[in-house]
Amino acid sequence: MRFEKWQALGNDYVIVEHEALPFELTAERVRELCAAHTGIGADGVLALSRTDEPGFVAALRIFNPDGSEAELSGNGAREAILYLRRAGWTDQRQFSIRTAAGELRPTILSDTTCRVDMGRARDDGTGEIEGFRYQQVNVGNPQCSIRVASEAALAAVALAEVGPQIERDPRFANRTNVSLWTELGSGRIRARIWERGVGETASSGTGACGAAVAHVLRGGDSPVTVVLDGGELDVEVGEDLHFELTGWAEPVYAGEMSPELLSRLASLS
């Protein structure tokens, strides 16, 4: 059973082709694959399937390291898109893939870079939570975007404490991701991200998109460069909240699961 491990701004995923799996990907199996010491070790699993749906190269399922399934991941989607091109699923520069959040339409810019048409964000309103004023947006998954006054204020937030409380607040039926951000200049913001099923992360594509959309809703300029601990991503947001994400992803290694690991995974439910 072969796999590849990819990373984008330090956000790493195991990529598998669904047809080659000898079992279904359950939450318990995903957790074992993502385990650092007994599995492959990753921030999640990307499962690619072929599809007969006209116009689509593949269907993508995205799993968090806790075994839950995510609607979308900006970094994971780019890794899957560039994997598809590299693995020969398509030789086109522009194509479509299907996710739980809907259609993604990438444009390949180089072997390691692509621009992804992510669709249209939804403004789900504002409110107050844990002493913060927030803008709730949906960019394929829910994002609670919180602007803070300065870089110093952003660094001072105890995200490991407030992140879980906001994520699981009853007003967010399916839990929410959390993006805290501040302006650095015209069209440039700094963000810290708390992801459902992950925790604080050095990079999140959809988290960056959520912060960028909230920035534009406040009257900020687009395109927006989002500075994360893992690097920078560029998000272009239109007046109708249609948005595109541009960034890089690269393979780390290709491997083959051992018979022992496969046997252990098969024994799990």
Side-chain angles (χ1 to χ4, degrees):
M1 174 63 224
R2 293 191 59 78
F3 67 91
E4 289 193 15
K5 184 173 179 178
W6 283 60
Q7 67 98 6
L9 283 72
N11 196 189
D12 61 325
Y13 281 87
V14 174
I15 301 180
V16 295
E17 297 186 10
H18 183 266
E19 286 80 359
L21 286 170
F23 41 66
E24 289 299 314
L25 275 178
T26 63
E28 194 171 1
R29 287 171 180 145
V30 167
R31 288 194 294 270
E32 183 59 29
L33 280 170
C34 293
H37 301 295
T38 57
I40 296 169
D43 292 326
V45 176
L46 306 174
L48 287 164
S49 302
R50 298 187 184 274
T51 175
D52 294 329
E53 191 173 0
F56 287 86
V57 168
L60 170 64
R61 295 180 69 190
I62 303 167
F63 296 91
N64 295 318
D66 69 350
S68 60
E69 189 165 356
E71 302 96 333
L72 188 59
S73 162
N75 289 330
R78 290 199 316 284
E79 292 169 33
I81 287 161
L82 291 164
Y83 170 90
L84 289 168
R85 170 82 172 213
R86 180 184 174 99
W89 286 47
T90 181
D91 60 0
Q92 300 298 307
R93 287 186 63 250
Q94 294 181 310
F95 53 91
S96 292
I97 65 171
R98 174 69 65 194
T99 72
E103 179 182 5
L104 298 184
R105 296 176 295 278
T107 299
I108 304 297
L109 303 177
S110 75
D111 289 344
T112 57
T113 308
C114 64
R115 180 177 63 250
V116 185
D117 181 342
M118 305 281 283
R120 186 174 177 179
R122 188 178 70 234
D123 178 0
D124 285 340
T126 61
E128 292 188 5
I129 192 167
E130 298 295 324
F132 297 103
R133 185 76 180 169
Y134 71 86
Q135 170 74 59
Q136 188 70 12
V137 298
N138 191 298
V139 295
N141 57 23
Q143 301 285 333
C144 183
S145 295
I146 298 170
R147 178 189 175 274
V148 295
S150 66
E151 284 190 83
L154 181 64
V157 175
L159 192 52
E161 297 178 11
V162 301
Q165 296 172 23
I166 297 174
E167 173 193 346
R168 298 181 179 277
D169 189 277
R171 77 192 77 182
F172 307 123
N174 297 317
R175 298 188 294 162
T176 188
N177 301 287
V178 185
S179 301
L180 290 100
W181 59 276
T182 191
E183 291 96 348
L184 299 178
S186 177
R188 190 173 179 86
I189 65 176
R190 172 82 169 92
R192 293 175 63 194
I193 311 295
W194 178 271
E195 281 195 342
R196 297 175 301 174
V198 179
E200 185 168 7
T201 178
S203 172
S204 166
T206 52
C209 291
V213 170
H215 169 70
V216 170
L217 284 170
R218 286 179 55 87
D221 292 335
S222 173
V224 188
T225 297
V226 185
V227 181
L228 303 158
D229 287 341
E232 298 183 1
L233 291 170
D234 293 319
V235 186
E236 186 159 356
V237 184
E239 292 183 1
D240 63 351
L241 299 188
H242 196 100
F243 65 106
E244 295 182 331
L245 173 65
T246 301
W248 60 268
E250 63 184 16
V252 178
Y253 60 82
E256 185 173 303
M257 297 181 202
S258 69
E260 291 82 3
L261 176 58
L262 283 172
S263 177
R264 181 153 34 94
L265 291 169
S267 71
L268 301 174
S269 58

